[in-house]
Amino acid sequence: MLVVKVGGSLGIDYDAVCRDLASLIQSGRRAILVHGGSAETNALSEKLGKPPRMVTSVSGYESRYTDRETLTIFEMVYCGKMNKGIVERFQKLGVNAVGLSGMDGRIWQGRRKSTITIVENGKRRVLRDDYTGRIESVNLDLLNLLLDHGYTPVLTPPAVSREGEAINVDGDRAVAVLGAALGVDKLVILSNIPGLLRDLEDETSLIREIPLEEADAFMQFAQGRMKKKLLGAVEAVQQGVREVVFGDARLPDPISKALAGKGTVIRRRTGDGDL
Amino acid sequence: MLVVKVGGSLGIDYDAVCRDLASLIQSGRRAILVHGGSAETNALSEKLGKPPRMVTSVSGYESRYTDRETLTIFEMVYCGKMNKGIVERFQKLGVNAVGLSGMDGRIWQGRRKSTITIVENGKRRVLRDDYTGRIESVNLDLLNLLLDHGYTPVLTPPAVSREGEAINVDGDRAVAVLGAALGVDKLVILSNIPGLLRDLEDETSLIREIPLEEADAFMQFAQGRMKKKLLGAVEAVQQGVREVVFGDARLPDPISKALAGKGTVIRRRTGDGDL
């Protein structure tokens, strides 16, 4: 079982991601693809006169301020443009994909944060009307039902609260919860950089391996969105995923390369896995 | 088994549609909801500087000219905003909905028209680069799999071509093909009018019943989009659906009212059904 997340940043080659995953599926792998859509959401938000607003929580994590209007734009991009664009690529490649959000069938159920406390210009502020939250459970039954019948799930936020509201959740942490719930061996997280870099300006400064036990020490290199990626990866390994690999979605065969160890690998030092 | 289509025109009360269907489902009915999104697609197209272009085929049917850019806008609205908005309503009502396009799992597979011939200012023109088509088969296995496991499918165009391309299909004809394939007894088609009117300006001129055998004679009253609705209804009854009801989605309990015969009913004159 293979779980792959492809981000939504600029420069990602979705054709290459889908082609690579299609050939892995056609050689017999079961797979779920999770995707983002942040760059396209930003672009559409700008066009619609509702510029994106990124906020930083008191614990230092960045997220998209998601009021109802933003949530609708988010759903149009993530569940419409991105999700169906990927499903169409797979259908052309002969993979019978089924595109779903975390709301569908309550695949990703979580809790909406009633308020979030952010830091803005050095001051704390409490935001309400924010539809964000954190996943607490995964509907594996539905995912396995689809996989058992030959369908490939293509999954994207939002998740759903217990009360049935759409909630924006971080895709990297969502895929970590999914990978852990499925008990997968490897989780591949692709974005538009080669992996975790010591120096963001220098792609040759790639960190090849992060032992789980030393993850805290590497947090200093994780800037912006990378902080949540690393946090999600650490959570996934803590919860039983053997390896998380951060790979580069701008390359040909990005998944196969990540599976071969190209990128940043997070795993227990005591692990006996092959790379 | 109940199949309901709710259109995408202005004035439709989606909350009322979902509430009514939720209570029918919770009283034990199996149901599939199909929806449109035309008014919202027009609004977004305008906002994005790509005004909608409706074209009329040589046989007199109106459709949306759907180039790739339009297709993306279409997917954002139909598969994003509308589909997930309906799924969220159902989740809040305790119905475990799964939102899907006709591309997902190849639920609606059809043939893309390589060209369409339209009439514009009295002249014939051939359009290429139009992603529209007609459904040829329905993946009942996937729909039944979901229904058998307690999920309620919420289905929307686009469909998928054999080659895997997204194709815009008319929602009313799509639901007719679906209803016929499922062999449903009743198909409820809701829009923002009371049914087929003799006089579009006069809502009291409702036609209560159209015997299948006389459908041609009623075609004269069907203007604009109503032409395809009536065509779809006729096709559905010809293919075995006992009754198609055109109902009013602006009313409370619109589905229950349609099931009770409020609206325009299309059926065989020889039918022995109760209304």
Side-chain angles (χ1 to χ4, degrees):
Chain A
M1 179 73 207
L2 179 62
V3 173
V4 177
K5 155 92 195 306
V6 58
S9 307
L10 290 173
I12 288 174
D13 185 347
Y14 292 98
D15 288 335
V17 171
C18 291
R19 224 168 18 234
D20 196 12
L21 192 55
S23 91
L24 288 161
I25 290 165
Q26 282 155 352
S27 71
R29 298 289 295 254
R30 272 162 88 95
I32 296 175
L33 180 63
V34 175
H35 67 85
S38 52
E40 293 279 356
T41 299
N42 292 346
L44 184 64
S45 297
E46 293 284 357
K47 275 188 196 162
L48 296 177
K50 172 85 181 171
R53 180 174 167 198
M54 300 308 289
V55 295
T56 305
S57 72
V58 285
S59 35
Y61 294 101
E62 203 178 69
S63 66
R64 182 186 299 275
Y65 175 56
T66 311
D67 57 8
R68 278 311 290 196
E69 197 183 344
T70 304
L71 188 65
T72 300
I73 296 170
F74 181 95
E75 288 177 354
M76 288 200 289
V77 174
Y78 280 68
C79 309
K81 184 174 186 172
M82 302 298 293
N83 191 264
K84 299 316 168 196
I86 289 171
V87 168
E88 187 180 17
R89 283 181 183 89
F90 276 133
Q91 292 293 358
K92 284 183 185 166
L93 291 163
V95 170
N96 204 353
V98 172
L100 298 160
S101 78
M103 263 198 297
D104 298 298
R106 292 188 173 263
I107 290 176
W108 276 328
Q109 186 177 292
R111 191 189 290 265
R112 181 181 163 198
K113 292 173 198 148
S114 52
T115 60
I116 59 163
T117 307
I118 62 159
V119 181
E120 209 170 41
N121 305 324
K123 286 187 193 144
R124 283 176 180 233
R125 275 192 57 197
V126 173
L127 292 182
R128 296 168 208 280
D129 294 335
D130 188 46
Y131 285 79
T132 55
R134 195 168 166 176
I135 294 168
E136 294 176 322
S137 63
V138 181
N139 181 351
L140 294 183
D141 288 347
L142 177 53
L143 294 171
N144 281 320
L145 189 68
L146 292 169
L147 288 161
D148 288 347
H149 288 80
Y151 301 105
T152 297
V154 177
L155 190 55
T156 191
V160 67
S161 72
R162 291 185 213 182
E163 295 75 24
E165 299 155 307
I167 45 174
N168 185 2
V169 292
D170 179 70
D172 293 305
R173 294 182 76 178
V175 80
V177 174
L178 176 67
L182 285 162
V184 296
D185 216 41
K186 297 204 186 195
L187 195 62
V188 173
I189 298 185
L190 302 172
S191 65
N192 63 348
I193 46 170
L196 183 61
L197 304 173
R198 283 182 190 271
D199 174 2
L200 256 182
E201 305 298 308
D202 177 9
E203 296 207 351
T204 66
S205 70
L206 179 71
I207 294 162
R208 300 294 304 273
E209 189 168 338
I210 300 177
L212 177 71
E213 298 80 357
E214 296 167 26
D216 281 351
F218 287 88
M219 221 21 125
Q220 60 174 308
F221 301 114
Q223 304 294 321
R225 291 199 43 75
M226 196 34 106
K227 285 185 83 156
K228 277 196 184 162
K229 271 191 210 303
L230 187 51
L231 186 72
V234 166
E235 287 168 350
V237 178
Q238 280 169 342
Q239 287 161 48
V241 173
R242 195 165 57 84
E243 280 183 16
V244 177
V245 189
F246 294 152
D248 193 335
R250 301 166 306 175
L251 305 176
D253 307 320
I255 300 166
S256 301
K257 287 198 178 76
L259 288 173
K262 192 170 169 65
T264 300
V265 180
I266 299 97
R267 57 173 173 179
R268 290 184 192 276
R269 199 194 289 116
T270 48
D272 54 355
D274 58 323
L275 263 182
Chain B
M1 179 72 208
L2 179 61
V3 173
V4 177
K5 155 92 197 304
V6 58
S9 306
L10 290 173
I12 287 175
D13 185 348
Y14 292 98
D15 288 334
V17 171
C18 291
R19 224 169 16 235
D20 196 13
L21 192 54
S23 91
L24 289 162
I25 290 166
Q26 281 155 353
S27 71
R29 298 289 294 254
R30 273 163 84 98
I32 296 175
L33 180 64
V34 175
H35 68 84
S38 53
E40 293 278 355
T41 299
N42 291 346
L44 184 64
S45 297
E46 294 284 359
K47 276 188 197 162
L48 295 177
K50 171 87 182 172
R53 180 174 168 198
M54 301 306 290
V55 294
T56 305
S57 71
V58 285
S59 33
Y61 294 102
E62 203 177 66
S63 67
R64 183 185 300 276
Y65 174 56
T66 311
D67 58 7
R68 278 311 290 196
E69 196 183 343
T70 304
L71 187 65
T72 300
I73 296 170
F74 181 94
E75 287 178 352
M76 289 200 289
V77 175
Y78 280 68
C79 308
K81 184 174 187 173
M82 302 298 292
N83 191 264
K84 300 316 167 196
I86 289 171
V87 168
E88 187 180 15
R89 285 182 182 87
F90 276 133
Q91 291 294 357
K92 284 184 185 165
L93 292 162
V95 170
N96 204 353
V98 172
L100 298 160
S101 78
M103 262 197 297
D104 298 298
R106 292 187 172 264
I107 290 176
W108 275 328
Q109 186 177 293
R111 190 189 291 265
R112 181 181 163 198
K113 292 173 198 149
S114 52
T115 60
I116 59 165
T117 306
I118 62 160
V119 181
E120 208 169 42
N121 304 325
K123 286 186 191 143
R124 282 176 181 236
R125 275 193 56 197
V126 174
L127 292 182
R128 297 170 207 278
D129 293 335
D130 188 46
Y131 285 79
T132 56
R134 196 168 166 177
I135 293 167
E136 294 176 323
S137 63
V138 181
N139 181 351
L140 294 183
D141 288 345
L142 177 54
L143 294 171
N144 282 320
L145 189 68
L146 293 169
L147 288 161
D148 288 347
H149 288 81
Y151 301 104
T152 296
V154 177
L155 190 56
T156 191
V160 67
S161 71
R162 291 185 214 182
E163 296 75 22
E165 300 155 307
I167 45 175
N168 185 2
V169 292
D170 178 70
D172 293 306
R173 293 183 77 180
V175 81
V177 174
L178 176 67
L182 284 161
V184 296
D185 215 42
K186 294 205 188 196
L187 194 62
V188 173
I189 298 184
L190 302 172
S191 65
N192 64 348
I193 45 171
L196 184 61
L197 304 173
R198 281 180 193 274
D199 173 3
L200 255 183
E201 306 298 310
D202 177 8
E203 295 208 351
T204 66
S205 70
L206 179 71
I207 296 162
R208 299 294 304 273
E209 190 169 339
I210 300 177
L212 178 70
E213 299 79 357
E214 296 166 28
D216 280 352
F218 287 87
M219 223 18 128
Q220 59 175 306
F221 301 115
Q223 303 295 319
R225 292 200 41 75
M226 196 36 108
K227 283 187 85 155
K228 276 197 183 163
K229 271 189 211 303
L230 187 52
L231 186 72
V234 167
E235 286 169 349
V237 178
Q238 281 169 342
Q239 287 161 49
V241 173
R242 195 165 58 83
E243 279 183 17
V244 177
V245 189
F246 293 151
D248 193 335
R250 302 166 305 175
L251 305 176
D253 308 320
I255 300 166
S256 301
K257 286 197 177 77
L259 288 174
K262 190 169 169 70
T264 302
V265 181
I266 299 98
R267 57 173 173 182
R268 288 183 194 278
R269 198 192 292 116
T270 48
D272 54 355
D274 57 325
L275 262 183

